[in-house]
């Protein structure tokens, strides 16, 4: 008997109470954090319609639901991604301004003399989301059906062709410059504020050629509106079996992709970063969503903060070296 005369609680009751207290404690901490109490803004540093925008909108819709809040995607294009990335870098680190960016994040430190962010110090990685091969595109009206045809046309008419890219320093732009070097050809680069406008340029005939990440180009390739001459991944894309890789065409080192990464301003509370990471990875690994992304041209990575951190550490020096070897001077 207890001091007040009641029977002592059973072992099962004790365990049940302890479990309830633990749950209440966790719930209490979550409620104390109050996250999210208002809409979360996700900055995309490119124009609508590109791969980063597509990824942000797919993930954002599901992430808002998973968090019990609202995700608002805000496009802030310009400066090859530097404007939007810089805004995110200097935002309040409270979890209400986040960044989904592309490979420009790791390319720009080697491409620009000054950038408004430090890729290591200014952000806390949340997740490495996905990646896509880049693709070489032509307007079908051009009558070019292969990489060999494109090189032959450019050599015969050195002032005729121009090519669109999502912007200065994007991996499609660098793939285009590499293509000019290995093909010993001349094409005029026409940079846009994102992949969406670059795709529209080649669709309208403003440019004859484009280098772009696969996702925004994919529906136009499958519809026949654009012709893909090659992809720059390590293997053919699963539903474009007739489009060769550059490796297959004997360009052994021609591999270029565009990744999407999720980051928060540095000093964002670790509990919020961990929550966003866990929810994002859970969404990306859901079979239905993973299949949707694959059909849109993404290879899902779904790696946590360490995966994103490693990519940054590996690729900043890698692209700096490639830019130097290509003779591209920082702007």
């Amino acid at each position: 008997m207890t001091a007040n005369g009641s029977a002592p609680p059973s072992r099962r009751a004790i365990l049940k109470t302890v479990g309830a207290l633990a749950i209440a404690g966790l719930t209490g901490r979550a409620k104390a954090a109050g996250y999210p109490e208002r809409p979360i803004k996700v900055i995309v540093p490119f124009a609508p319609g590109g791969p980063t925008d597509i990824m942000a909108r797919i993930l954002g819709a599901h992430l808002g639901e998973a968090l019990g809040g609202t995700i608002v995607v805000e496009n802030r294009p310009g400066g090859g991604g530097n404007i939007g990335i810089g805004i995110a870098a200097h935002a309040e680190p409270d979890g209400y301004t986040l960044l989904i960016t592309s490979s420009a994040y790791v390319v720009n430190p080697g491409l620009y003399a000054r950038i408004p962010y430090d890729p290591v110090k200014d952000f806390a990685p949340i997740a490495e989301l996905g990646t896509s091969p880049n693709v070489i595109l032509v307007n079908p009206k051009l009558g070019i059906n292969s990489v060999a045809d494109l090189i032959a046309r450019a050599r015969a008419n050195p002032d005729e062709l121009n090519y669109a890219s999502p912007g200065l320093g994007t991996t499609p732009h660098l793939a285009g410059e590499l293509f000019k070097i290995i093909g010993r050809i001349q094409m005029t680069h026409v940079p846009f504020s994102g992949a969406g406008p670059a795709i529209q340029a080649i669709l309208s005939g403003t440019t004859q050629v484009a280098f772009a990440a696969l996702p925004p180009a994919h529906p136009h390739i499958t519809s026949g509106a654009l012709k893909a001459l090659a992809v720059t991944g390590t293997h053919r894309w699963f539903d474009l079996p007739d489009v060769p890789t550059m490796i297959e065409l004997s360009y052994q080192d021609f591999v270029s992709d565009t990744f999407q990464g999720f980051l928060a301003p540095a000093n964002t509370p670790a509990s919020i970063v961990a929550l966003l990471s866990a929810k994002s990875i859970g969404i990306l690994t859901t079979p239905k969503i993973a299949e949707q992304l694959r059909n849109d041209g993404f290879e899902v990575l779904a790696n946590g903060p360490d995966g994103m951190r490693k990519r940054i550490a590996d690729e900043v020096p890698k692209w700096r070296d490639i830019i130097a070897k290509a003779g591209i001077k920082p702007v």
Side-chain angles (χ1 to χ4, degrees):
M1 300 291 288
T2 62
N4 64 6
S6 62
S10 67
R11 184 174 183 273
R12 176 178 294 180
I14 291 171
L15 291 173
K16 183 176 181 180
T17 301
V18 171
L21 287 172
I23 293 170
L26 290 172
T27 305
R29 283 195 294 274
K31 288 181 177 178
Y35 183 80
E37 292 181 327
R38 62 181 189 270
I40 299 167
K41 178 170 66 179
V42 174
I43 292 176
V44 171
F46 303 101
T52 310
D53 182 68
I54 294 169
M55 174 65 82
R57 293 182 187 279
I58 292 173
L59 177 62
H62 295 284
L63 183 58
E65 182 179 348
L67 293 171
T70 302
I71 302 289
V72 178
V73 175
E74 182 175 303
N75 298 90
R76 299 298 295 265
N82 282 329
I83 290 176
I85 298 172
I87 291 169
H90 298 101
E92 188 71 25
D94 55 7
Y96 289 98
T97 300
L98 307 172
L99 174 72
I100 293 183
T101 186
S102 74
S103 302
Y105 183 89
V106 294
V107 171
N108 288 356
L111 189 71
Y112 292 87
R114 296 180 64 185
I115 59 173
Y117 67 96
D118 183 302
V120 175
K121 296 179 180 178
D122 285 346
F123 286 93
I126 296 171
E128 187 184 27
L129 303 176
T131 187
S132 307
N134 293 318
V135 60
I136 304 172
L137 303 162
V138 293
N139 191 306
K141 295 176 182 177
L142 204 58
I144 288 175
N145 295 305
S146 67
V147 166
D149 286 351
L150 177 58
I151 290 174
R153 175 73 69 86
R155 287 178 179 171
N157 303 276
D159 298 321
E160 176 190 3
L161 300 179
N162 51 32
Y163 78 91
S165 86
L168 186 68
T170 58
T171 58
H173 166 222
L174 296 178
E177 293 303 300
L178 178 59
F179 184 79
K180 287 164 57 177
I181 292 168
I182 65 174
R184 301 188 303 280
I185 60 172
Q186 177 58 41
M187 291 192 296
T188 301
H189 176 222
V190 183
F192 289 85
S193 61
I199 295 296
Q200 289 303 314
I202 186 174
L203 286 169
S204 67
T206 301
T207 70
Q208 303 96 338
V209 184
F211 286 75
L214 181 58
H218 189 270
H220 304 293
I221 297 168
T222 55
S223 72
L226 293 176
K227 184 170 185 60
L229 301 183
V231 293
T232 62
T234 57
H235 53 271
R236 295 192 184 203
W237 196 251
F238 78 102
D239 67 349
L240 300 174
D242 296 329
V243 181
T245 67
M246 288 296 285
I247 294 173
E248 291 178 90
L249 299 176
S250 300
Y251 300 101
Q252 295 301 322
D253 296 324
F254 204 124
V255 176
S256 173
D257 65 358
T258 297
F259 77 81
Q260 289 75 43
F262 196 11
L263 304 108
N267 300 317
T268 297
S271 58
I272 291 178
V273 172
L275 175 65
L276 292 168
S277 180
K279 294 294 186 184
S280 298
I281 290 171
I283 290 164
L284 294 174
T285 53
T286 301
K288 183 177 180 180
I289 297 170
E291 182 180 4
Q292 176 188 357
L293 288 166
R294 185 169 181 250
N295 289 335
D296 285 339
F298 295 96
E299 180 180 341
V300 171
L301 298 175
N303 292 322
D306 287 345
M308 187 64 210
R309 193 173 290 109
K310 184 177 186 306
R311 182 177 280 269
I312 294 168
D314 289 347
E315 294 207 8
V316 169
K318 166 192 163 182
W319 285 109
R320 198 186 301 274
D321 185 55
I322 289 173
I323 290 165
K325 287 180 178 177
I328 300 172
K329 301 297 183 183
V331 294

PDB file of all heavy atoms in Angstrom, residues 34-45:
ATOM      1  N   GLY A  34       7.487  25.955 -31.692  1.00  0.00           N
ATOM      2  CA  GLY A  34       6.450  26.642 -32.463  1.00  0.00           C
ATOM      3  C   GLY A  34       6.739  26.703 -33.938  1.00  0.00           C
ATOM      4  O   GLY A  34       6.371  27.671 -34.605  1.00  0.00           O
ATOM      5  N   TYR A  35       7.394  25.685 -34.448  1.00  0.00           N
ATOM      6  CA  TYR A  35       7.807  25.733 -35.857  1.00  0.00           C
ATOM      7  C   TYR A  35       6.992  24.749 -36.672  1.00  0.00           C
ATOM      8  O   TYR A  35       6.928  23.567 -36.325  1.00  0.00           O
ATOM      9  CB  TYR A  35       9.290  25.390 -35.971  1.00  0.00           C
ATOM     10  CG  TYR A  35       9.845  25.487 -37.380  1.00  0.00           C
ATOM     11  CD1 TYR A  35      10.189  26.710 -37.923  1.00  0.00           C
ATOM     12  CD2 TYR A  35      10.006  24.348 -38.157  1.00  0.00           C
ATOM     13  CE1 TYR A  35      10.700  26.799 -39.211  1.00  0.00           C
ATOM     14  CE2 TYR A  35      10.521  24.434 -39.444  1.00  0.00           C
ATOM     15  CZ  TYR A  35      10.856  25.663 -39.967  1.00  0.00           C
ATOM     16  OH  TYR A  35      11.359  25.749 -41.241  1.00  0.00           O
ATOM     17  N   PRO A  36       6.364  25.191 -37.744  1.00  0.00           N
ATOM     18  CA  PRO A  36       6.343  26.585 -38.201  1.00  0.00           C
ATOM     19  C   PRO A  36       5.089  27.305 -37.715  1.00  0.00           C
ATOM     20  O   PRO A  36       3.998  26.743 -37.704  1.00  0.00           O
ATOM     21  CB  PRO A  36       6.331  26.442 -39.719  1.00  0.00           C
ATOM     22  CG  PRO A  36       5.585  25.148 -39.957  1.00  0.00           C
ATOM     23  CD  PRO A  36       5.891  24.257 -38.784  1.00  0.00           C
ATOM     24  N   GLU A  37       5.249  28.543 -37.359  1.00  0.00           N
ATOM     25  CA  GLU A  37       4.130  29.374 -36.924  1.00  0.00           C
ATOM     26  C   GLU A  37       3.600  30.250 -38.052  1.00  0.00           C
ATOM     27  O   GLU A  37       2.527  30.835 -37.930  1.00  0.00           O
ATOM     28  CB  GLU A  37       4.561  30.276 -35.763  1.00  0.00           C
ATOM     29  CG  GLU A  37       4.869  29.521 -34.474  1.00  0.00           C
ATOM     30  CD  GLU A  37       5.261  30.458 -33.344  1.00  0.00           C
ATOM     31  OE1 GLU A  37       5.883  31.510 -33.652  1.00  0.00           O
ATOM     32  OE2 GLU A  37       4.962  30.147 -32.191  1.00  0.00           O
ATOM     33  N   ARG A  38       4.378  30.359 -39.120  1.00  0.00           N
ATOM     34  CA  ARG A  38       3.975  31.191 -40.254  1.00  0.00           C
ATOM     35  C   ARG A  38       4.547  30.554 -41.516  1.00  0.00           C
ATOM     36  O   ARG A  38       5.335  29.617 -41.448  1.00  0.00           O
ATOM     37  CB  ARG A  38       4.487  32.618 -40.081  1.00  0.00           C
ATOM     38  CG  ARG A  38       5.991  32.775 -40.020  1.00  0.00           C
ATOM     39  CD  ARG A  38       6.365  34.239 -39.828  1.00  0.00           C
ATOM     40  NE  ARG A  38       7.798  34.464 -39.976  1.00  0.00           N
ATOM     41  CZ  ARG A  38       8.674  34.405 -38.997  1.00  0.00           C
ATOM     42  NH1 ARG A  38       8.260  34.087 -37.767  1.00  0.00           N
ATOM     43  NH2 ARG A  38       9.966  34.642 -39.225  1.00  0.00           N
ATOM     44  N   PRO A  39       4.166  31.036 -42.694  1.00  0.00           N
ATOM     45  CA  PRO A  39       4.671  30.443 -43.932  1.00  0.00           C
ATOM     46  C   PRO A  39       6.197  30.481 -44.023  1.00  0.00           C
ATOM     47  O   PRO A  39       6.844  31.428 -43.576  1.00  0.00           O
ATOM     48  CB  PRO A  39       4.026  31.316 -45.021  1.00  0.00           C
ATOM     49  CG  PRO A  39       2.777  31.825 -44.394  1.00  0.00           C
ATOM     50  CD  PRO A  39       3.118  32.050 -42.948  1.00  0.00           C
ATOM     51  N   ILE A  40       6.750  29.434 -44.607  1.00  0.00           N
ATOM     52  CA  ILE A  40       8.191  29.315 -44.817  1.00  0.00           C
ATOM     53  C   ILE A  40       8.491  29.707 -46.266  1.00  0.00           C
ATOM     54  O   ILE A  40       7.878  29.175 -47.199  1.00  0.00           O
ATOM     55  CB  ILE A  40       8.665  27.879 -44.556  1.00  0.00           C
ATOM     56  CG1 ILE A  40       8.378  27.483 -43.100  1.00  0.00           C
ATOM     57  CG2 ILE A  40      10.152  27.726 -44.867  1.00  0.00           C
ATOM     58  CD1 ILE A  40       8.514  25.997 -42.839  1.00  0.00           C
ATOM     59  N   LYS A  41       9.426  30.604 -46.438  1.00  0.00           N
ATOM     60  CA  LYS A  41       9.813  31.047 -47.789  1.00  0.00           C
ATOM     61  C   LYS A  41      11.018  30.248 -48.259  1.00  0.00           C
ATOM     62  O   LYS A  41      12.025  30.174 -47.557  1.00  0.00           O
ATOM     63  CB  LYS A  41      10.125  32.535 -47.778  1.00  0.00           C
ATOM     64  CG  LYS A  41      10.593  33.092 -49.118  1.00  0.00           C
ATOM     65  CD  LYS A  41      10.658  34.599 -49.102  1.00  0.00           C
ATOM     66  CE  LYS A  41      11.710  35.122 -48.157  1.00  0.00           C
ATOM     67  NZ  LYS A  41      11.800  36.611 -48.165  1.00  0.00           N
ATOM     68  N   VAL A  42      10.903  29.655 -49.430  1.00  0.00           N
ATOM     69  CA  VAL A  42      12.020  28.948 -50.051  1.00  0.00           C
ATOM     70  C   VAL A  42      12.453  29.747 -51.275  1.00  0.00           C
ATOM     71  O   VAL A  42      11.687  29.881 -52.235  1.00  0.00           O
ATOM     72  CB  VAL A  42      11.652  27.514 -50.448  1.00  0.00           C
ATOM     73  CG1 VAL A  42      12.794  26.861 -51.224  1.00  0.00           C
ATOM     74  CG2 VAL A  42      11.325  26.681 -49.206  1.00  0.00           C
ATOM     75  N   ILE A  43      13.657  30.274 -51.228  1.00  0.00           N
ATOM     76  CA  ILE A  43      14.182  31.058 -52.346  1.00  0.00           C
ATOM     77  C   ILE A  43      14.771  30.123 -53.395  1.00  0.00           C
ATOM     78  O   ILE A  43      15.549  29.225 -53.081  1.00  0.00           O
ATOM     79  CB  ILE A  43      15.249  32.056 -51.857  1.00  0.00           C
ATOM     80  CG1 ILE A  43      14.599  33.135 -50.993  1.00  0.00           C
ATOM     81  CG2 ILE A  43      15.991  32.686 -53.038  1.00  0.00           C
ATOM     82  CD1 ILE A  43      15.576  34.120 -50.386  1.00  0.00           C
ATOM     83  N   VAL A  44      14.377  30.338 -54.640  1.00  0.00           N
ATOM     84  CA  VAL A  44      14.983  29.685 -55.803  1.00  0.00           C
ATOM     85  C   VAL A  44      15.688  30.782 -56.583  1.00  0.00           C
ATOM     86  O   VAL A  44      15.035  31.729 -57.038  1.00  0.00           O
ATOM     87  CB  VAL A  44      13.918  28.995 -56.677  1.00  0.00           C
ATOM     88  CG1 VAL A  44      14.522  28.517 -57.998  1.00  0.00           C
ATOM     89  CG2 VAL A  44      13.296  27.824 -55.930  1.00  0.00           C
ATOM     90  N   PRO A  45      17.011  30.720 -56.745  1.00  0.00           N
ATOM     91  CA  PRO A  45      17.741  31.841 -57.340  1.00  0.00           C
ATOM     92  C   PRO A  45      17.731  31.866 -58.864  1.00  0.00           C
ATOM     93  O   PRO A  45      18.679  32.371 -59.486  1.00  0.00           O
ATOM     94  CB  PRO A  45      19.151  31.641 -56.789  1.00  0.00           C
ATOM     95  CG  PRO A  45      19.288  30.168 -56.628  1.00  0.00           C
ATOM     96  CD  PRO A  45      17.922  29.678 -56.223  1.00  0.00           C
TER      97      PRO A  45
END
